[in-house]
Every structure is written in C-alpha cells, then in structure tokens.
Amino acid sequence: MYAVVKTGGKQYRVSAGEKLKIEQITAEVGQEIVLDQVLVVADGDALKMGTPLVAGAKVKAKVLKQGRHDKVHIFKMRRRKHYQRHGGHRQNYTEIQIGTISA
C-alpha cells in the first residue's frame, strides 16, 4: 500500500515504515503529525485518485528530527572582468517516519 501526499509544495510517494526528509514543518521531535493532503491511495490493484484530494484519506507520521541539508555552494564569475561572488545556502528539513495510511 502506498500514497502520494503533498507537503511543502512538493509531492512524495510514501509507504508505511518509510523515512523521508520533507520541507520544514513546525513540530517537536517525537510528535505525531497527520498529512491530510493525499492525492492518490493505492492498495494492490485498487487505486483511488482524488480530484484533487482523496476525501477522508490521511497519512500519520512521526517526526524523527529537525535538521539542515548539506550546503549548496553558489559561485558566480565573469572572466577577464575581475568579478567573483561566493555564496551558499542550507535548507531546513524535517525527517519523518510514515506510520499508517488510511483511506
């Protein structure tokens, strides 16, 4: 059984027991959260697709940790013009473990 959920402007295909890093959400470590924007629920050959969401479908997950991804380095340069710019970015994330999928 799997589901496609939408969170943080992205879509993820999830199944029970799976660990996943999603865009940061405000939740404490160890807290149980509910992802209610479910687009698709599949159980074997049975497939429920929402328009746009599946009515009454929920995915329960547990927050494992809050963290930051590796740094993405940004380097801009114009050759022969003595122009260089360095920058970086670290995106925050929330790591969750999927519990139950209910349709």
Side-chain angles (χ1 to χ4, degrees):
M1 181 173 205
Y2 71 89
V4 176
V5 296
K6 180 180 170 185
T7 178
K10 298 179 177 70
Q11 296 176 6
Y12 301 95
R13 182 184 189 268
V14 298
S15 57
E18 185 176 315
K19 289 182 183 179
L20 187 65
K21 290 181 181 177
I22 61 173
E23 292 294 318
Q24 185 180 29
I25 55 174
T26 55
E28 297 294 324
V29 174
Q31 182 179 345
E32 184 143 322
I33 60 170
V34 177
L35 304 172
D36 56 354
Q37 290 190 330
V38 180
L39 304 171
V40 174
V41 176
D43 189 10
D45 290 335
L47 182 72
K48 285 186 185 176
M49 294 184 69
T51 54
L53 302 176
V54 178
K58 294 180 183 175
V59 175
K60 291 185 180 178
K62 182 180 178 184
V63 176
L64 298 178
K65 76 176 186 180
Q66 302 277 3
R68 299 182 80 186
H69 285 288
D70 293 336
K71 180 175 265 192
V72 176
H73 295 281
I74 294 112
F75 177 69
K76 297 180 180 181
M77 185 180 114
R78 299 285 181 259
R79 63 183 188 160
R80 300 184 307 269
K81 304 300 179 194
H82 199 64
Y83 171 83
Q84 289 185 356
R85 291 291 176 263
H86 301 272
H89 177 72
R90 291 186 71 188
Q91 185 72 25
N92 296 327
Y93 69 84
T94 301
E95 186 172 0
I96 60 173
Q97 183 167 15
I98 304 300
T100 60
I101 299 171
S102 63

